[in-house]
Amino acid sequence: MNQRQQLMQEIRCLAAERDAVILAHNYQPDDVQELADLTGDSLGLSIEAAQTHRKTIVFCGVYFMAESAAILSPHKTVLLPRPDAGCPLADCITPEELRSMKIRHPGAPVVTYVNSSAAVKAESDICCTSANAVRVVDSLPEKEVILAPDRNLGRYIASRTDKVCHLWEGCCPVHDQLPLAAFRTAIENHPDAVVLAHPECRPEILALAHHILSTSGMLSHVRQSAGKRFIIATEMGILYRLRRDNPDKEFIIASPSLICRDMKLTTLEDLRRCLETMSPVITVPEEIRLRARRALERMLAVPRGD
Ligand code: 13P
Ligand code: SF4
C-alpha cells in the first residue's frame, strides 16, 4: 500500500470511529472526491446534510456549504477541514445591504442563492440553488421578486419566468470571467460537441450553450446523453467525475481559467487532521440559524424536477 492509500485508509477508519459522513462538492480536488462517501451539488449535499443519521458531517467544500449543513443539522457536529475556504460570491452582499434592497422593493420576497452567508439567508424568504432556481421562483405567488446575490443566475432566472426580477449585482469571479473568445474557439474547434454551462456564467456564454445546468445536472445529463464529446463551462473539478463515470466520452474544459482556489484548498491531510481533532466546528448563532433554516427548508419543500 502506498502512502496516499494509507492516508485514505486512516481517514476512513477515523471517520468510522467518529460516526462521520464525508461530503464533497463536485469542485473538490480529485483525491477528496475519491475518498468522500458522497459527492454532489449544493442542493444534493444540503439534502444529504439534512437527512444523514451520522453524528458528524465533514463538509469538503466552502464555508457557506458547511454553514448550511449546520443550519439544517444543529444536533450534529459539522466540520469544515479548511475554514479559510470562502466564496467571493457569498461575500459580495451583507445582511444590511439586503435589508436596504428589501426597503427599495416592498412586498417582493427575497430569493437567495445558497452561495450566501447564514446571516444573509436569515434575511431571505426562500433559498435556491442552481438546480432549482426557476422552480423556486415560480413557486412563489408574488409577481415581483428580489434575486440575490448572483446577477448571472438572476438574469438566467429572469429570462425563464414571468416575474419582475430585481437583481443584486454580485457574481462568481470564476464563472463570470470565463473568456468569451476561448469559449467560442473551443466550440468552433469541436463542432460536434454538446456544450454545457453553469448558470453563474455571463449571458453571452449561456447563449452559446446547448444546456444550462447545475454541476449535478451536468453529471446526469452526460450519463444519459448519446453525445460523445462535451464542452464544459464550469469549475474544472467536475471533470473528475465526468471522466470517471463516462470513460468512453471526451470532455473539454471551456477555459483553463475555470479553477476555484477556495474549492481547491482542501487536502487529505486537512481531512485527517480535522477528524483527529474534531475541529474546526462550524456553528451558526441560534437566532440567525432559525431564520436561515426557514429559508432553506422552504426551498427543500419545493418539489424536485428530476
Ligand atoms: P452547484 O450548486 O451547481 O453545485 O454550484 C455551486 C457553486 O459553487 C457554483 O460555483
Ligand atoms: Fe464561490 Fe465561484 Fe468558487 Fe462556486 S466557483 S465556490 S461560486 S467562488
Side-chain angles (χ1 to χ4, degrees), residues 173-179 183 201 232-237 253-260 264:
V174 179
H175 288 84
D176 192 66
Q177 285 162 29
L178 167 56
F183 190 48
C201 296
I232 305 295
T234 195
E235 209 277 345
M236 62 172 70
I253 195 78
S255 160
S257 66
L258 285 163
I259 300 183
C260 173
K264 297 297 184 258

Side-chain angles (χ1 to χ4, degrees), residues 24-289:
H25 187 264
N26 291 325
Y27 297 159
Q28 284 288 290
D30 293 3
D31 48 8
V32 174
Q33 291 197 49
E34 185 184 334
L35 181 90
D37 297 304
L38 277 157
T39 54
D41 65 2
S42 306
L43 178 60
L45 294 178
S46 31
I47 293 171
E48 205 49 53
Q51 289 177 348
T52 182
H53 297 299
R54 306 275 184 86
K55 283 207 287 254
T56 304
I57 299 169
V58 183
F59 216 115
C60 303
V62 295
Y63 201 91
F64 77 80
M65 295 181 173
E67 260 190 346
S68 294
I71 291 166
L72 292 168
S73 306
H75 304 303
K76 292 172 190 143
T77 304
V78 178
L79 302 172
L80 179 64
R82 288 297 296 244
D84 53 339
C87 169
L89 171 58
D91 292 342
C92 79
I93 186 165
T94 63
E96 294 72 30
E97 286 170 325
L98 186 52
R99 276 200 291 272
S100 347
M101 205 174 172
K102 291 202 275 190
I103 293 168
R104 288 201 296 281
H105 304 288
V110 178
V111 182
T112 297
Y113 192 28
V114 286
N115 294 39
S116 54
S117 67
V120 164
K121 288 184 178 80
E123 292 295 330
S124 310
D125 294 281
I126 187 165
C127 289
C128 73
T129 73
S130 56
N132 62 13
V134 178
R135 263 181 294 125
V136 165
V137 167
D138 283 341
S139 75
L140 300 170
E142 291 85 353
K143 295 260 174 294
E144 285 189 34
V145 292
I146 294 172
L147 303 177
D150 188 282
R151 63 171 179 238
N152 293 328
L153 179 68
R155 283 179 199 150
Y156 165 74
I157 298 169
S159 71
R160 281 166 165 71
T161 178
D162 293 334
K163 314 258 182 211
V164 176
C165 300
H166 304 287
L167 311 186
W168 183 259
E169 281 293 316
C171 67
C172 158
V174 179
H175 288 84
D176 192 66
Q177 285 162 29
L178 167 56
L180 182 59
F183 190 48
R184 275 221 179 95
T185 307
I187 295 172
E188 277 158 22
N189 289 345
H190 305 284
D192 59 321
V194 182
V195 183
L196 308 182
H198 194 277
E200 287 175 20
C201 296
R202 298 192 311 282
E204 57 269 36
I205 299 283
L206 298 184
L208 297 176
H210 295 121
H211 303 282
I212 299 164
L213 296 163
S214 74
T215 55
S216 287
M218 289 184 189
L219 289 163
S220 50
H221 179 89
V222 167
R223 246 192 328 269
Q224 290 157 22
S225 168
K228 285 283 167 218
R229 191 178 264 179
F230 299 83
I231 294 172
I232 305 295
T234 195
E235 209 277 345
M236 62 172 70
I238 187 111
L239 294 175
Y240 168 74
R241 267 191 67 198
L242 282 172
R243 289 184 173 139
R244 191 199 66 186
D245 296 353
N246 308 277
D248 56 329
K249 296 180 181 172
E250 189 193 341
F251 300 97
I252 298 135
I253 195 78
S255 160
S257 66
L258 285 163
I259 300 183
C260 173
R261 279 187 324 174
D262 289 280
M263 281 285 184
K264 297 297 184 258
L265 288 174
T266 324
T267 64
L268 292 178
E269 284 78 10
D270 294 326
L271 249 172
R272 176 175 58 190
R273 191 177 336 105
C274 112
L275 277 163
E276 268 167 4
T277 61
M278 288 298 276
S279 69
V281 176
I282 303 303
T283 55
V284 175
E286 192 61 5
E287 183 269 328
I288 291 178
R289 191 188 73 77

